Amino acid sequence: MSDASTSSDVEPDHDHDHHHEGPGYSTPQAAIEESDREQLAYVMSLYVGTDVDEPDFVAVVDLDPDSETYGEIVDRIEMPNRGDELHHFGWNACSSSCHVEGLERRHLIVPGQRSSRLHVIDTKDRRNPELVEVIEPEEVFEYDLSAPHTVHCVPDGKIIISMLGDADGDLPGGFLELNDDFEIEGRWEPPGEIEMNYDYWYQPRQNVMVSSEWAAPKTYYPGFDLEDVEAGKYGQKLHFWDWENGTVEQTIDLGEEGLIPLEVRFLHTPESTHGFVGAALSSNIFHFWRDEAAGEYRAEKVIDFESREHPDWDMPVPALPTDILISMDDRYLFGSNWLHGEVWMYDVSDPANPRRADSLSVGGTFGEVQEVQGRELAAGPQMIQLSLDGERLYWTTSLFSSWDDQFYPEEAERGSVMLKADVDPRNGTLELDEDFLVDWGECPAGPARAHEIRWPDGDCTSDVWQ
């Protein structure tokens, strides 16, 4: 357990360990000890922005090293429409409902970022899931919301989705709530609490949720434009919410060093108020925590990735850390620098003073490894996912179709890949597994992009404890 696992005035409530009758695990440590090795991965896969006129799909990837189809896409769940831009997705239930008898972690909620369409996939048959329900965009627009992003289940089976725009793709965004029958309940928060939205994470025992900011869909859909940054159209704030009331209690402006704060994570220990957020454009990682004496949250830059010169760029190339995650034991922070081509690992046992443990230079603009098994890498590491025991880190290479086309146009022609590193948590090291490669360039209809990764039994970016 991290030395920052609990705030000073909150004692762990061990009653939460005594009634595990629902999905997931009773504690983060139980997830590490009781889980089996991941056998399958569900991976968001898309054709938006390519020359292939096909619907996006969820890929089922075989991760069982003893299987004859290890490292292959063994099933595809195609969406009923084209152009959804599948992006992030989540479960109907996780360890936050581990005390709820009869609830299963079985259905994936799969939004279309561009279409605002919501899909529900039943994974009862894990290798052959099926699409069972679709919520059409018009039903979402009724609540003056669009562009769904982060999907988190919350205690008792409800689902909350961060929405990045209003019904026209402008600001403000908000949150949409679904009930356990996958029906829209309405907005989770009173409208007007925030302007920009992106990712979020909650700690129910602390009655707090934190959310981050990207931009209006109309701003980022066409691609990245530095003039939009100069015009203040991209976010740089963190919002701390009263979890029960759905209202913002505090906003922290991270300033220019915190431009475009994307993935935001609390430590897994449910009593903790410590967490991290990656500021992509500024290429910094911020630590945030509750200052109990002052009665409010603080944020401080703790990791700074320097830009690098490149002959093909007329400005220094930022690292662009687009994804971060925390190992289930709260010891390590992992992340990906998409433009530089780097996967990194910091020891955050003392979260205020992260210590660089190891990194891999692979793909991207500067990566030392530019091909695996003879397959050229078209882009840098992007979405990452870690095994529950912390010993295997996987990643894909697509960020967002229009941004891919701008920075790595070869991604549309060659498709994405999924790669893996073996992690030694004891010594804090990463080693690229050059025997593992999943190639979206070989999909039957043509090369596809690959984005977020989920395990059927929960993972380091979806499980929360109540």
Side-chain angles (χ1 to χ4, degrees):
M1 181 179 288
S2 165
D3 62 359
S5 58
T6 61
S7 58
S8 58
D9 62 350
V10 177
E11 293 297 326
D13 182 353
H14 296 293
D15 286 345
H16 288 83
D17 298 344
H18 297 164
H19 308 291
H20 181 201
E21 298 171 326
Y25 305 91
S26 57
T27 65
Q29 187 61 33
I32 297 170
E33 296 177 356
E34 298 172 8
S35 63
D36 295 324
R37 177 179 170 131
E38 64 283 357
Q39 301 289 305
L40 293 171
Y42 299 125
V43 184
M44 295 293 255
S45 307
L46 58 148
Y47 279 113
V48 174
T50 72
D51 292 332
V52 180
D53 184 23
E54 291 288 333
D56 297 347
F57 61 95
V58 176
V60 181
V61 177
D62 187 343
L63 297 181
D64 178 0
D66 295 325
S67 168
E68 292 182 355
T69 53
Y70 175 57
E72 296 180 12
I73 298 172
V74 294
D75 193 24
R76 297 171 183 78
I77 304 95
E78 285 194 349
M79 300 301 107
N81 297 275
R82 289 169 167 75
D84 285 311
E85 181 123 21
L86 303 186
H87 193 63
H88 285 218
F89 62 150
W91 289 102
N92 67 308
C94 74
S95 296
S96 68
S97 297
C98 72
H99 315 296
V100 182
E101 185 177 5
L103 194 59
E104 295 180 79
R105 181 177 5 224
R106 172 171 159 176
H107 291 90
L108 284 168
I109 314 303
V110 181
Q113 230 290 317
R114 286 184 190 268
S115 67
S116 300
R117 188 173 286 109
L118 306 174
H119 311 86
V120 181
I121 291 177
D122 186 346
T123 67
K124 182 179 181 180
D125 182 343
R126 290 184 169 189
R127 287 181 70 97
N128 299 286
E130 61 176 338
L131 180 69
V132 293
E133 192 164 337
V134 178
I135 299 174
E136 294 296 339
E138 292 73 19
E139 300 175 66
V140 174
F141 297 155
E142 286 183 16
Y143 299 90
D144 200 19
L145 292 169
S146 69
H149 191 272
T150 299
V151 177
H152 271 302
C153 52
V154 301
D156 303 329
K158 291 187 177 180
I159 297 149
I160 297 175
I161 306 171
S162 64
M163 310 291 292
L164 275 55
D166 66 11
D168 296 322
D170 293 314
L171 298 176
F175 293 88
L176 190 71
E177 181 174 332
L178 308 184
N179 63 26
D180 55 5
D181 289 324
F182 313 118
E183 299 165 335
I184 297 178
E185 285 277 287
R187 294 184 71 127
W188 173 74
E189 90 295 8
E193 288 291 304
I194 54 173
E195 277 289 297
M196 295 185 191
N197 203 3
Y198 181 71
D199 192 28
Y200 80 99
W201 195 286
Y202 66 100
Q203 287 285 59
R205 293 192 202 179
Q206 296 288 353
N207 190 35
V208 64
M209 182 180 90
V210 58
S211 65
S212 58
E213 295 186 334
W214 192 4
K218 283 184 176 176
T219 299
Y220 65 80
Y221 275 176
F224 178 73
D225 188 337
L226 198 55
E227 290 186 0
D228 287 334
V229 179
E230 295 166 349
K233 293 183 179 180
Y234 279 98
Q236 57 183 41
K237 296 175 183 174
L238 287 182
H239 305 282
F240 294 88
W241 299 69
D242 182 308
W243 173 242
E244 290 186 358
N245 293 330
T247 53
V248 173
E249 295 292 296
Q250 183 187 351
T251 293
I252 297 179
D253 189 333
L254 302 174
E256 292 188 358
E257 293 194 313
L259 275 167
I260 312 186
L262 295 181
E263 313 307 325
V264 61
R265 321 288 187 201
F266 270 114
L267 295 186
H268 297 287
T269 302
E271 291 83 12
S272 179
T273 61
H274 291 261
F276 296 90
V277 63
L281 188 60
S282 301
S283 298
N284 296 319
I285 307 299
F286 280 77
H287 164 227
F288 60 82
W289 74 100
R290 181 173 172 82
D291 181 338
E292 294 297 341
E296 61 183 12
Y297 276 85
R298 310 283 191 195
E300 183 177 65
K301 184 184 73 172
V302 290
I303 300 173
D304 185 348
F305 297 105
E306 292 187 2
S307 298
R308 299 176 65 177
E309 298 289 341
H310 191 281
D312 295 337
W313 281 61
D314 56 7
M315 60 178 281
V317 183
L320 212 73
T322 47
D323 194 16
I324 62 171
L325 65 75
I326 298 170
S327 60
M328 197 56 80
D329 64 359
D330 287 339
R331 180 177 178 187
Y332 291 109
L333 178 71
F334 294 84
S336 58
N337 290 350
W338 189 58
L339 286 182
H340 282 191
E342 184 182 41
V343 174
W344 47 262
M345 173 182 185
Y346 276 75
D347 186 329
V348 292
S349 299
D350 176 0
N353 297 286
R355 180 183 62 80
R356 191 179 182 97
D358 203 359
S359 63
L360 288 174
S361 180
V362 53
T365 309
F366 299 97
E368 294 171 2
V369 177
Q370 285 292 345
E371 65 175 42
V372 175
Q373 298 180 24
R375 174 26 164 121
E376 290 185 19
L377 306 177
Q382 214 285 105
M383 294 308 295
I384 57 176
Q385 191 52 264
L386 184 69
S387 60
L388 289 171
D389 62 9
E391 296 185 0
R392 292 164 299 282
L393 181 73
Y394 302 80
W395 64 90
T396 56
T397 54
S398 171
L399 174 60
F400 193 69
S401 63
S402 49
W403 293 42
D404 289 350
D405 289 343
Q406 193 170 357
F407 295 100
Y408 294 114
E410 301 88 355
E411 184 88 341
E413 301 166 5
R414 298 180 192 164
S416 297
V417 295
M418 180 176 176
L419 299 176
K420 165 179 169 281
D422 292 317
V423 183
D424 182 343
R426 180 179 295 274
N427 294 306
T429 59
L430 289 167
E431 182 178 2
L432 181 66
D433 179 358
E434 299 201 34
D435 293 329
F436 181 88
L437 171 77
V438 187
D439 192 350
W440 269 256
E442 296 181 349
C443 290
R449 309 178 196 273
H451 194 67
E452 195 174 43
I453 306 166
R454 297 236 168 270
W455 316 135
D457 291 315
D459 48 59
C460 295
T461 57
S462 63
D463 266 276
V464 172
W465 278 267
Q466 185 179 18

